[in-house]
Coordinates of all heavy atoms in Angstrom, one line a residue:
M850 N -33.5 -55.8 104.0 CA -32.8 -56.2 102.8 C -33.3 -55.4 101.6 O -34.4 -55.1 101.5 CB -33.0 -57.7 102.6 CG -32.0 -58.3 101.6 SD -30.3 -58.0 102.1 CE -29.8 -59.6 102.7
H851 N -32.3 -55.0 100.8 CA -32.7 -54.1 99.7 C -32.5 -54.9 98.4 O -31.8 -55.9 98.3 CB -31.8 -52.9 99.7 CG -31.9 -52.1 101.0 ND1 -33.0 -51.3 101.2 CD2 -31.2 -52.2 102.1 CE1 -32.9 -50.8 102.4 NE2 -31.8 -51.3 103.0
S852 N -33.2 -54.4 97.3 CA -33.2 -55.1 96.1 C -31.8 -55.0 95.4 O -31.1 -54.0 95.6 CB -34.3 -54.5 95.2 OG -33.9 -53.2 94.7
A853 N -31.6 -55.9 94.5 CA -30.4 -55.8 93.7 C -30.3 -54.5 92.8 O -29.3 -53.9 92.6 CB -30.3 -57.0 92.8
R854 N -31.5 -54.1 92.4 CA -31.6 -52.8 91.6 C -31.1 -51.6 92.4 O -30.4 -50.8 91.9 CB -33.1 -52.6 91.2 CG -33.2 -51.4 90.3 CD -34.6 -51.2 89.7 NE -35.6 -52.0 90.4 CZ -36.9 -51.6 90.5 NH1 -37.3 -50.5 90.0 NH2 -37.7 -52.4 91.0
D855 N -31.5 -51.6 93.7 CA -31.0 -50.5 94.6 C -29.5 -50.5 94.7 O -28.8 -49.5 94.6 CB -31.6 -50.6 96.0 CG -33.0 -50.2 96.1 OD1 -33.5 -49.6 95.2 OD2 -33.6 -50.6 97.1
R856 N -28.9 -51.7 94.9 CA -27.5 -51.9 95.0 C -26.8 -51.5 93.7 O -25.7 -50.8 93.8 CB -27.1 -53.3 95.4 CG -27.5 -53.6 96.8 CD -26.9 -54.9 97.3 NE -27.3 -55.1 98.7 CZ -26.8 -54.5 99.8 NH1 -25.7 -53.7 99.6 NH2 -27.2 -54.8 101.0
V857 N -27.3 -51.8 92.6 CA -26.7 -51.4 91.3 C -26.9 -49.9 91.1 O -25.9 -49.2 90.7 CB -27.4 -52.2 90.1 CG1 -27.0 -51.6 88.8 CG2 -27.1 -53.7 90.2
E858 N -28.0 -49.4 91.4 CA -28.2 -47.9 91.2 C -27.3 -47.1 92.0 O -26.8 -46.0 91.6 CB -29.7 -47.6 91.5 CG -30.0 -46.1 91.4 CD -31.5 -45.8 91.7 OE1 -32.3 -46.7 91.9 OE2 -31.8 -44.6 91.7
Y859 N -27.0 -47.5 93.2 CA -26.2 -46.8 94.2 C -24.8 -47.3 94.3 O -24.1 -47.0 95.3 CB -26.9 -46.6 95.5 CG -28.2 -45.9 95.4 CD1 -29.4 -46.6 95.7 CD2 -28.3 -44.6 95.0 CE1 -30.6 -45.9 95.5 CE2 -29.5 -43.9 94.9 CZ -30.6 -44.6 95.1 OH -31.8 -43.9 95.0
E860 N -24.4 -48.2 93.4 CA -23.1 -48.8 93.5 C -21.9 -47.9 93.7 O -21.1 -48.1 94.5 CB -22.8 -49.7 92.2 CG -21.5 -50.5 92.3 CD -21.3 -51.4 91.1 OE1 -22.2 -51.5 90.3 OE2 -20.3 -52.0 91.1
P861 N -21.9 -46.7 92.9 CA -20.8 -45.8 93.2 C -20.7 -45.3 94.6 O -19.6 -45.2 95.2 CB -21.0 -44.7 92.2 CG -21.9 -45.2 91.1 CD -22.7 -46.3 91.8
W862 N -21.9 -45.1 95.2 CA -21.9 -44.6 96.6 C -21.5 -45.7 97.6 O -20.9 -45.5 98.6 CB -23.3 -44.0 96.9 CG -23.5 -42.8 96.2 CD1 -24.3 -42.6 95.0 CD2 -23.0 -41.5 96.5 NE1 -24.2 -41.3 94.6 CE2 -23.4 -40.6 95.5 CE3 -22.2 -41.0 97.5 CZ2 -23.1 -39.2 95.6 CZ3 -21.8 -39.7 97.6 CH2 -22.3 -38.8 96.6
L863 N -22.0 -46.9 97.3 CA -21.6 -48.1 98.1 C -20.1 -48.3 98.1 O -19.5 -48.7 99.1 CB -22.4 -49.3 97.8 CG -23.9 -49.2 98.0 CD1 -24.6 -50.4 97.5 CD2 -24.1 -49.1 99.5
E864 N -19.5 -48.1 96.9 CA -18.0 -48.2 96.8 C -17.3 -47.1 97.6 O -16.3 -47.4 98.3 CB -17.6 -48.1 95.3 CG -18.0 -49.3 94.5 CD -17.6 -49.2 93.0 OE1 -17.0 -48.2 92.6 OE2 -18.0 -50.1 92.3
E865 N -17.9 -45.9 97.6 CA -17.3 -44.9 98.5 C -17.5 -45.2 99.9 O -16.5 -45.0 100.7 CB -18.0 -43.5 98.2 CG -17.5 -42.9 96.9 CD -17.9 -41.4 96.8 OE1 -17.7 -40.7 97.8 OE2 -18.2 -41.0 95.7
L866 N -18.6 -45.8 100.3 CA -18.8 -46.2 101.7 C -17.7 -47.3 102.0 O -17.1 -47.2 103.1 CB -20.2 -46.8 101.8 CG -20.7 -47.2 103.2 CD1 -22.1 -46.9 103.4 CD2 -20.4 -48.7 103.5
E867 N -17.5 -48.2 101.2 CA -16.5 -49.3 101.4 C -15.1 -48.7 101.6 O -14.3 -49.1 102.4 CB -16.5 -50.3 100.3 CG -17.6 -51.3 100.5 CD -17.5 -52.2 101.7 OE1 -16.4 -52.5 102.2 OE2 -18.5 -52.5 102.3
Q868 N -14.8 -47.7 100.7 CA -13.4 -47.0 100.8 C -13.3 -46.3 102.2 O -12.2 -46.4 102.8 CB -13.3 -46.1 99.6 CG -13.1 -46.8 98.3 CD -13.2 -45.8 97.1 OE1 -13.3 -44.6 97.3 NE2 -13.0 -46.4 95.9
A869 N -14.3 -45.6 102.6 CA -14.2 -44.9 103.9 C -14.2 -46.0 105.0 O -13.4 -45.8 106.0 CB -15.5 -44.0 104.1
A870 N -14.9 -47.1 104.9 CA -14.9 -48.2 105.9 C -13.5 -48.8 105.9 O -13.0 -49.1 107.0 CB -15.9 -49.2 105.6
D871 N -12.8 -48.9 104.8 CA -11.4 -49.4 104.8 C -10.5 -48.4 105.5 O -9.7 -48.9 106.3 CB -10.9 -49.5 103.3 CG -11.4 -50.6 102.6 OD1 -12.0 -51.6 103.2 OD2 -11.3 -50.7 101.3
R872 N -10.7 -47.1 105.3 CA -9.8 -46.1 106.0 C -10.1 -46.2 107.5 O -9.2 -46.0 108.3 CB -10.1 -44.7 105.5 CG -9.6 -44.5 104.1 CD -9.7 -43.0 103.7 NE -11.0 -42.6 103.4 CZ -11.6 -42.7 102.2 NH1 -10.9 -43.3 101.2 NH2 -12.8 -42.3 102.0
L873 N -11.3 -46.5 107.9 CA -11.6 -46.7 109.3 C -11.3 -48.0 109.9 O -11.5 -48.2 111.1 CB -13.1 -46.3 109.5 CG -13.5 -44.9 109.3 CD1 -15.0 -44.8 109.1 CD2 -13.1 -44.0 110.4
E874 N -11.0 -49.0 109.0 CA -10.8 -50.4 109.4 C -12.0 -51.0 110.2 O -11.8 -51.6 111.2 CB -9.5 -50.5 110.3 CG -8.3 -50.0 109.5 CD -7.0 -50.1 110.3 OE1 -7.0 -50.3 111.5 OE2 -5.9 -50.0 109.7
L875 N -13.2 -50.7 109.6 CA -14.4 -51.3 110.2 C -14.5 -52.8 110.0 O -14.1 -53.3 108.9 CB -15.6 -50.5 109.7 CG -15.8 -49.1 110.0 CD1 -17.0 -48.5 109.4 CD2 -15.8 -48.9 111.6
S876 N -15.2 -53.4 110.9 CA -15.5 -54.8 110.7 C -16.5 -55.1 109.6 O -17.2 -54.1 109.2 CB -16.1 -55.4 112.0 OG -17.4 -54.8 112.3
S877 N -16.6 -56.3 109.2 CA -17.6 -56.6 108.1 C -19.0 -56.4 108.6 O -19.9 -56.0 107.8 CB -17.4 -58.0 107.6 OG -17.6 -59.0 108.6
E878 N -19.3 -56.6 109.9 CA -20.6 -56.4 110.4 C -21.0 -54.9 110.4 O -22.1 -54.5 110.0 CB -20.7 -56.9 111.8 CG -22.1 -56.7 112.4 CD -22.2 -57.2 113.9 OE1 -21.2 -57.7 114.4 OE2 -23.3 -57.0 114.5
A879 N -20.0 -54.0 110.7 CA -20.3 -52.6 110.7 C -20.5 -52.1 109.3 O -21.3 -51.3 109.0 CB -19.1 -51.9 111.3
R880 N -19.7 -52.7 108.3 CA -19.9 -52.3 106.9 C -21.2 -52.7 106.4 O -21.9 -51.9 105.7 CB -18.8 -53.0 106.1 CG -17.4 -52.5 106.3 CD -16.4 -53.4 105.7 NE -15.0 -53.1 106.2 CZ -14.1 -52.5 105.4 NH1 -14.4 -52.3 104.2 NH2 -12.9 -52.3 105.9
S881 N -21.6 -53.9 106.7 CA -22.9 -54.4 106.3 C -24.1 -53.6 106.8 O -25.0 -53.2 106.1 CB -23.1 -55.9 106.7 OG -24.3 -56.3 106.3
C882 N -24.0 -53.3 108.1 CA -25.0 -52.4 108.7 C -25.0 -51.0 108.1 O -26.1 -50.5 107.8 CB -24.8 -52.4 110.2 SG -26.1 -51.5 111.1
A883 N -23.9 -50.5 107.9 CA -23.8 -49.1 107.3 C -24.4 -49.1 105.9 O -25.1 -48.2 105.5 CB -22.3 -48.7 107.2
S884 N -24.1 -50.1 105.1 CA -24.7 -50.2 103.7 C -26.2 -50.3 103.8 O -26.9 -49.6 103.0 CB -24.2 -51.5 103.0 OG -22.8 -51.4 102.8
E885 N -26.7 -51.1 104.7 CA -28.2 -51.3 104.8 C -28.8 -49.9 105.3 O -29.9 -49.6 104.8 CB -28.5 -52.4 105.8 CG -28.2 -53.8 105.3 CD -28.9 -54.2 104.1 OE1 -30.2 -53.9 104.0 OE2 -28.3 -54.7 103.2
L886 N -28.2 -49.3 106.2 CA -28.7 -48.0 106.7 C -28.7 -47.0 105.6 O -29.7 -46.2 105.4 CB -27.9 -47.5 107.9 CG -28.2 -48.2 109.2 CD1 -27.1 -47.8 110.2 CD2 -29.6 -48.0 109.7
F887 N -27.6 -46.9 104.8 CA -27.6 -46.0 103.6 C -28.7 -46.3 102.6 O -29.4 -45.3 102.2 CB -26.2 -46.1 103.0 CG -26.0 -45.2 101.8 CD1 -25.9 -43.9 101.9 CD2 -26.1 -45.8 100.5 CE1 -25.8 -43.0 100.8 CE2 -25.9 -44.9 99.4 CZ -25.8 -43.6 99.5
L888 N -28.9 -47.5 102.3 CA -29.9 -47.9 101.3 C -31.3 -47.7 101.8 O -32.2 -47.6 101.0 CB -29.7 -49.3 100.8 CG -28.4 -49.5 100.0 CD1 -28.2 -51.0 99.7 CD2 -28.5 -48.8 98.6
L889 N -31.5 -47.7 103.1 CA -32.8 -47.5 103.7 C -33.4 -46.2 103.3 O -34.6 -46.1 103.0 CB -32.7 -47.6 105.2 CG -34.0 -47.4 106.0 CD1 -34.9 -48.6 105.7 CD2 -33.6 -47.3 107.5
D890 N -32.6 -45.1 103.2 CA -33.2 -43.8 102.9 C -32.1 -42.9 102.1 O -31.6 -42.0 102.7 CB -33.6 -43.1 104.2 CG -34.3 -41.8 103.9 OD1 -35.0 -41.7 102.9 OD2 -34.2 -40.9 104.8
V891 N -31.9 -43.3 100.9 CA -30.9 -42.5 100.1 C -31.6 -41.2 99.6 O -32.7 -41.3 99.0 CB -30.5 -43.3 98.8 CG1 -29.5 -42.5 98.0 CG2 -29.9 -44.7 99.2
P892 N -31.0 -40.1 99.9 CA -31.6 -38.8 99.5 C -31.5 -38.6 98.0 O -30.7 -39.2 97.3 CB -30.7 -37.8 100.3 CG -29.6 -38.5 100.9 CD -29.8 -39.9 100.7
E893 N -32.4 -37.8 97.5 CA -32.4 -37.5 96.1 C -31.2 -36.7 95.7 O -30.6 -37.0 94.7 CB -33.7 -36.7 95.7 CG -35.0 -37.4 95.8 CD -35.1 -38.5 94.8 OE1 -34.7 -38.2 93.6 OE2 -35.6 -39.6 95.1
A894 N -30.8 -35.7 96.4 CA -29.7 -34.8 96.0 C -28.4 -35.4 96.3 O -28.1 -36.0 97.4 CB -29.8 -33.5 96.8
D895 N -27.5 -35.4 95.3 CA -26.2 -36.0 95.4 C -25.4 -35.4 96.6 O -24.7 -36.1 97.3 CB -25.3 -35.9 94.1 CG -25.7 -36.9 93.1 OD1 -26.5 -37.9 93.4 OD2 -25.2 -36.8 92.0
R896 N -25.5 -34.1 96.8 CA -24.8 -33.5 97.9 C -25.2 -34.0 99.3 O -24.5 -33.9 100.2 CB -24.9 -31.9 97.8 CG -26.2 -31.4 98.0 CD -26.2 -29.9 97.9 NE -26.9 -29.4 99.1 CZ -26.7 -28.3 99.7 NH1 -25.8 -27.5 99.3 NH2 -27.3 -27.9 100.8
S897 N -26.4 -34.5 99.4 CA -26.9 -35.0 100.6 C -26.5 -36.5 100.8 O -26.5 -37.0 101.9 CB -28.4 -34.9 100.7 OG -28.8 -33.5 100.6
K898 N -26.2 -37.1 99.7 CA -25.8 -38.5 99.8 C -24.6 -38.8 100.6 O -24.5 -39.7 101.4 CB -25.7 -39.1 98.4 CG -27.0 -39.4 97.7 CD -26.8 -40.0 96.3 CE -28.1 -40.3 95.6 NZ -28.7 -39.2 95.0
R899 N -23.6 -37.9 100.5 CA -22.3 -38.0 101.2 C -22.6 -37.9 102.7 O -22.0 -38.7 103.5 CB -21.3 -37.0 100.8 CG -20.0 -37.2 101.5 CD -18.8 -36.5 100.8 NE -18.7 -36.7 99.4 CZ -18.2 -37.8 98.9 NH1 -17.8 -38.8 99.6 NH2 -18.1 -38.0 97.6
A900 N -23.4 -37.0 103.2 CA -23.7 -36.9 104.6 C -24.5 -38.1 105.1 O -24.2 -38.6 106.2 CB -24.6 -35.6 104.8
T901 N -25.4 -38.7 104.3 CA -26.1 -39.9 104.7 C -25.1 -41.1 104.7 O -25.2 -41.9 105.6 CB -27.2 -40.2 103.7 OG1 -28.1 -39.0 103.8 CG2 -28.0 -41.4 104.1
L902 N -24.2 -41.1 103.8 CA -23.2 -42.2 103.8 C -22.4 -42.1 105.1 O -22.2 -43.1 105.7 CB -22.3 -42.0 102.5 CG -21.2 -43.0 102.3 CD1 -21.0 -43.1 100.8 CD2 -19.9 -42.5 103.0
A903 N -21.9 -40.9 105.4 CA -21.1 -40.8 106.6 C -21.9 -41.1 107.9 O -21.4 -41.8 108.8 CB -20.5 -39.4 106.7
A904 N -23.1 -40.7 108.0 CA -24.0 -41.0 109.1 C -24.2 -42.5 109.2 O -24.3 -43.0 110.3 CB -25.3 -40.2 109.0
S905 N -24.4 -43.1 108.1 CA -24.6 -44.5 108.0 C -23.4 -45.3 108.5 O -23.5 -46.3 109.3 CB -24.9 -45.0 106.6 OG -26.1 -44.4 106.1
L906 N -22.2 -44.8 108.2 CA -21.0 -45.4 108.7 C -20.9 -45.3 110.2 O -20.5 -46.3 110.9 CB -19.7 -44.8 108.0 CG -19.4 -45.3 106.6 CD1 -18.4 -44.3 106.0 CD2 -18.8 -46.7 106.7
Y907 N -21.1 -44.1 110.7 CA -21.1 -43.9 112.1 C -22.1 -44.8 112.8 O -21.7 -45.5 113.8 CB -21.3 -42.4 112.4 CG -21.3 -42.1 113.9 CD1 -20.1 -42.2 114.6 CD2 -22.4 -41.8 114.6 CE1 -20.1 -42.0 116.0 CE2 -22.4 -41.6 115.9 CZ -21.2 -41.6 116.6 OH -21.2 -41.4 118.0
A908 N -23.3 -44.7 112.4 CA -24.4 -45.5 113.0 C -24.1 -47.0 112.9 O -24.3 -47.8 113.9 CB -25.7 -45.2 112.4
G909 N -23.7 -47.5 111.8 CA -23.3 -48.9 111.6 C -22.2 -49.3 112.5 O -22.3 -50.5 113.0
S910 N -21.3 -48.5 112.7 CA -20.2 -48.8 113.6 C -20.7 -49.0 115.1 O -20.2 -49.8 115.8 CB -19.0 -47.9 113.5 OG -19.3 -46.6 114.1
L911 N -21.6 -48.1 115.4 CA -22.2 -48.2 116.8 C -23.0 -49.5 117.0 O -22.9 -50.2 118.0 CB -23.1 -47.0 117.0 CG -22.5 -45.7 117.2 CD1 -23.5 -44.6 117.4 CD2 -21.5 -45.7 118.4
V912 N -23.8 -49.8 116.0 CA -24.7 -51.0 116.1 C -23.8 -52.3 116.2 O -24.1 -53.2 116.9 CB -25.6 -51.1 114.8 CG1 -26.3 -52.4 114.8 CG2 -26.6 -50.0 114.9
A913 N -22.7 -52.3 115.4 CA -21.8 -53.4 115.4 C -20.8 -53.4 116.6 O -19.9 -54.3 116.6 CB -21.1 -53.5 114.1
S914 N -20.9 -52.5 117.5 CA -20.0 -52.4 118.6 C -18.6 -52.2 118.1 O -17.6 -52.7 118.7 CB -20.1 -53.6 119.5 OG -21.4 -53.6 120.1
D915 N -18.4 -51.5 117.0 CA -17.1 -51.2 116.4 C -17.0 -49.7 116.2 O -16.5 -49.2 115.2 CB -17.1 -51.9 115.0 CG -15.7 -52.0 114.4 OD1 -14.7 -51.7 115.1 OD2 -15.6 -52.3 113.2
G916 N -17.5 -49.0 117.3 CA -17.6 -47.6 117.2 C -16.4 -46.8 116.9 O -15.3 -47.1 117.3
R917 N -16.6 -45.8 116.1 CA -15.6 -44.8 115.8 C -16.1 -43.4 116.2 O -17.3 -43.2 116.3 CB -15.3 -44.8 114.3 CG -14.7 -46.1 113.8 CD -13.4 -46.4 114.4 NE -12.7 -47.6 113.8 CZ -12.9 -48.8 114.1 NH1 -13.7 -49.1 115.1 NH2 -12.2 -49.8 113.5
T918 N -15.3 -42.5 116.4 CA -15.7 -41.1 116.7 C -16.4 -40.5 115.5 O -16.0 -40.8 114.3 CB -14.6 -40.2 117.2 OG1 -13.7 -40.0 116.1 CG2 -13.9 -40.9 118.4
Q919 N -17.2 -39.5 115.7 CA -17.8 -38.8 114.6 C -16.7 -38.0 113.8 O -16.8 -38.0 112.6 CB -18.9 -37.8 115.1 CG -20.1 -38.4 115.6 CD -21.1 -37.4 116.2 OE1 -21.0 -36.2 116.0 NE2 -22.2 -37.9 116.8
S920 N -15.7 -37.5 114.5 CA -14.6 -36.8 113.8 C -13.8 -37.8 112.9 O -13.5 -37.4 111.8 CB -13.7 -36.2 114.9 OG -14.3 -35.2 115.6
D921 N -13.6 -39.0 113.4 CA -12.8 -40.0 112.6 C -13.6 -40.3 111.3 O -13.1 -40.4 110.2 CB -12.5 -41.2 113.3 CG -11.4 -41.0 114.4 OD1 -10.7 -40.0 114.3 OD2 -11.3 -41.8 115.3
V922 N -14.9 -40.6 111.5 CA -15.8 -40.9 110.4 C -15.9 -39.7 109.4 O -15.8 -39.9 108.2 CB -17.2 -41.4 110.8 CG1 -18.1 -41.6 109.6 CG2 -17.1 -42.7 111.7
A923 N -16.1 -38.6 109.9 CA -16.2 -37.4 109.1 C -14.9 -37.2 108.2 O -15.0 -36.9 107.0 CB -16.4 -36.1 110.0
E924 N -13.8 -37.4 108.8 CA -12.5 -37.3 108.1 C -12.4 -38.4 107.0 O -12.1 -38.1 105.8 CB -11.3 -37.4 109.0 CG -10.0 -37.2 108.3 CD -8.8 -37.3 109.3 OE1 -9.0 -36.9 110.4 OE2 -7.7 -37.8 108.8
A925 N -12.8 -39.6 107.3 CA -12.7 -40.7 106.4 C -13.7 -40.6 105.2 O -13.5 -41.0 104.1 CB -13.0 -42.0 107.1
A926 N -14.9 -39.9 105.5 CA -15.9 -39.8 104.5 C -15.9 -38.4 103.8 O -16.7 -38.1 103.0 CB -17.3 -40.0 105.1
D927 N -15.0 -37.5 104.3 CA -14.8 -36.2 103.7 C -16.1 -35.3 103.9 O -16.6 -34.8 102.9 CB -14.4 -36.2 102.2 CG -13.9 -34.9 101.7 OD1 -13.4 -34.1 102.5 OD2 -14.0 -34.6 100.5
V928 N -16.6 -35.3 105.1 CA -17.8 -34.4 105.5 C -17.4 -33.8 106.8 O -16.4 -34.1 107.4 CB -19.1 -35.2 105.6 CG1 -19.5 -36.0 104.3 CG2 -19.0 -36.2 106.8
S929 N -18.3 -32.8 107.2 CA -18.1 -32.2 108.5 C -18.7 -33.1 109.6 O -19.6 -33.9 109.3 CB -18.8 -30.9 108.5 OG -20.2 -31.0 108.5
R930 N -18.2 -33.0 110.8 CA -18.7 -33.8 111.9 C -20.2 -33.4 112.1 O -21.0 -34.3 112.5 CB -17.9 -33.5 113.2 CG -18.3 -34.4 114.3 CD -17.6 -34.0 115.6 NE -17.9 -32.7 116.1 CZ -19.1 -32.4 116.7 NH1 -20.0 -33.3 116.9 NH2 -19.3 -31.2 117.1
L931 N -20.5 -32.2 111.9 CA -21.9 -31.7 112.0 C -22.9 -32.5 111.1 O -24.0 -32.8 111.5 CB -22.0 -30.2 111.8 CG -23.4 -29.6 112.0 CD1 -23.9 -29.9 113.5 CD2 -23.4 -28.1 111.7
S932 N -22.4 -32.9 109.9 CA -23.2 -33.6 109.0 C -23.6 -35.0 109.6 O -24.8 -35.4 109.5 CB -22.5 -33.9 107.7 OG -22.3 -32.7 107.0
I933 N -22.7 -35.6 110.3 CA -22.9 -36.9 110.9 C -23.9 -36.7 112.1 O -24.9 -37.4 112.3 CB -21.6 -37.6 111.4 CG1 -20.8 -37.9 110.1 CG2 -21.9 -38.8 112.2 CD1 -19.4 -38.4 110.4
Q934 N -23.5 -35.7 112.9 CA -24.3 -35.4 114.2 C -25.8 -35.1 113.8 O -26.7 -35.5 114.6 CB -23.7 -34.2 114.9 CG -24.3 -33.9 116.2 CD -23.7 -32.7 116.9 OE1 -22.7 -32.2 116.4 NE2 -24.2 -32.3 118.0
S935 N -26.0 -34.5 112.7 CA -27.4 -34.1 112.3 C -28.2 -35.3 111.8 O -29.4 -35.2 111.7 CB -27.3 -33.0 111.2 OG -26.6 -31.9 111.7
H936 N -27.6 -36.4 111.4 CA -28.3 -37.4 110.7 C -28.3 -38.8 111.3 O -29.2 -39.6 111.0 CB -27.7 -37.6 109.2 CG -28.0 -36.4 108.4 ND1 -27.0 -35.4 108.3 CD2 -29.0 -36.1 107.6 CE1 -27.5 -34.5 107.4 NE2 -28.7 -34.8 107.0
W937 N -27.3 -39.2 112.1 CA -27.2 -40.6 112.5 C -28.3 -41.1 113.4 O -28.8 -42.2 113.2 CB -25.8 -40.8 113.2 CG -25.7 -40.3 114.6 CD1 -25.3 -39.0 114.9 CD2 -26.0 -41.0 115.8 NE1 -25.3 -38.9 116.3 CE2 -25.7 -40.1 116.9 CE3 -26.4 -42.3 116.1 CZ2 -25.8 -40.5 118.2 CZ3 -26.5 -42.6 117.4 CH2 -26.2 -41.7 118.4
K938 N -28.9 -40.3 114.3 CA -30.0 -40.8 115.1 C -31.2 -41.1 114.3 O -31.9 -42.1 114.5 CB -30.3 -39.8 116.2 CG -29.2 -39.7 117.3 CD -29.6 -38.8 118.4 CE -28.5 -38.7 119.4 NZ -28.9 -37.7 120.5
E939 N -31.5 -40.2 113.4 CA -32.6 -40.4 112.5 C -32.5 -41.6 111.7 O -33.5 -42.4 111.5 CB -32.8 -39.1 111.6 CG -33.9 -39.2 110.6 CD -33.9 -37.9 109.8 OE1 -33.9 -36.8 110.3 OE2 -34.0 -38.1 108.5
L940 N -31.3 -42.0 111.2 CA -31.1 -43.2 110.4 C -31.5 -44.4 111.3 O -32.1 -45.3 110.8 CB -29.7 -43.3 109.9 CG -29.3 -42.5 108.7 CD1 -27.8 -42.6 108.5 CD2 -30.1 -42.9 107.5
L941 N -31.0 -44.4 112.5 CA -31.3 -45.6 113.4 C -32.8 -45.7 113.7 O -33.3 -46.8 113.6 CB -30.5 -45.4 114.7 CG -29.0 -45.7 114.6 CD1 -28.3 -45.5 116.0 CD2 -28.7 -47.1 114.1
E942 N -33.4 -44.6 113.9 CA -34.8 -44.6 114.2 C -35.6 -45.1 113.0 O -36.6 -45.9 113.2 CB -35.3 -43.2 114.6 CG -34.8 -42.8 116.0 CD -35.0 -41.4 116.4 OE1 -35.4 -40.6 115.5 OE2 -34.8 -41.0 117.6
E943 N -35.2 -44.7 111.8 CA -35.9 -45.1 110.6 C -35.8 -46.6 110.4 O -36.6 -47.3 109.8 CB -35.4 -44.3 109.4 CG -35.9 -42.9 109.4 CD -35.4 -42.1 108.2 OE1 -34.8 -42.7 107.3 OE2 -35.6 -40.9 108.2
A944 N -34.7 -47.2 110.9 CA -34.4 -48.6 110.8 C -35.1 -49.4 111.9 O -35.0 -50.6 111.9 CB -32.9 -48.8 110.8
G945 N -35.8 -48.7 112.8 CA -36.5 -49.3 113.9 C -35.6 -49.6 115.1 O -35.9 -50.4 115.9
L946 N -34.4 -48.9 115.1 CA -33.5 -49.1 116.2 C -33.5 -47.9 117.1 O -33.8 -46.8 116.7 CB -32.1 -49.3 115.7 CG -31.9 -50.5 114.7 CD1 -30.5 -50.4 114.1 CD2 -32.0 -51.8 115.5
E947 N -33.2 -48.1 118.4 CA -33.2 -47.0 119.3 C -31.8 -46.5 119.5 O -30.9 -47.2 119.9 CB -33.8 -47.5 120.7 CG -34.0 -46.3 121.6 CD -34.7 -46.7 122.9 OE1 -35.6 -47.6 122.8 OE2 -34.4 -46.2 123.9
P948 N -31.6 -45.2 119.2 CA -30.3 -44.7 119.4 C -29.9 -44.6 120.9 O -30.7 -44.5 121.7 CB -30.4 -43.2 118.9 CG -31.7 -43.1 118.2 CD -32.5 -44.3 118.7
P949 N -28.6 -44.7 121.2 CA -28.1 -44.6 122.5 C -28.5 -43.2 123.1 O -28.5 -42.3 122.4 CB -26.6 -44.8 122.5 CG -26.3 -44.9 121.1 CD -27.5 -44.9 120.2
R950 N -28.7 -43.2 124.4 CA -29.0 -41.9 125.1 C -27.9 -41.5 126.0 O -28.1 -41.5 127.2 CB -30.3 -42.1 125.8 CG -31.4 -42.5 125.0 CD -32.8 -42.0 125.5 NE -33.9 -42.6 124.8 CZ -34.3 -42.2 123.6 NH1 -33.8 -41.2 123.0 NH2 -35.4 -42.8 123.1
W951 N -26.7 -41.1 125.4 CA -25.6 -40.7 126.3 C -25.8 -39.4 126.9 O -26.2 -38.5 126.3 CB -24.3 -40.7 125.5 CG -24.0 -42.0 124.8 CD1 -23.9 -43.2 125.3 CD2 -23.8 -42.1 123.4 NE1 -23.6 -44.1 124.3 CE2 -23.5 -43.4 123.1 CE3 -23.8 -41.2 122.3 CZ2 -23.3 -43.9 121.9 CZ3 -23.5 -41.7 121.1 CH2 -23.2 -43.1 120.9

């Protein structure tokens, strides 16, 4: 769980996350998980935040069994698929979760 200060500080990014989640029609559980993953390790650089946001959406959808493809998430979040591919496993590991081993 993250502090209210974190949520206020990153509110614009969390709103973008919600907009992308709307486009993906993600469940509330997937959205909540994605938000928590995003707030777990928000990068300093704004240009890196979007990639983390997208990776959080993808990972959150997997955790909630509401999976979407990396391509669909990339399109909804306006990033490259490679951005998601490069970050999602690390996000899960930092949260203490084990990424799937397909």
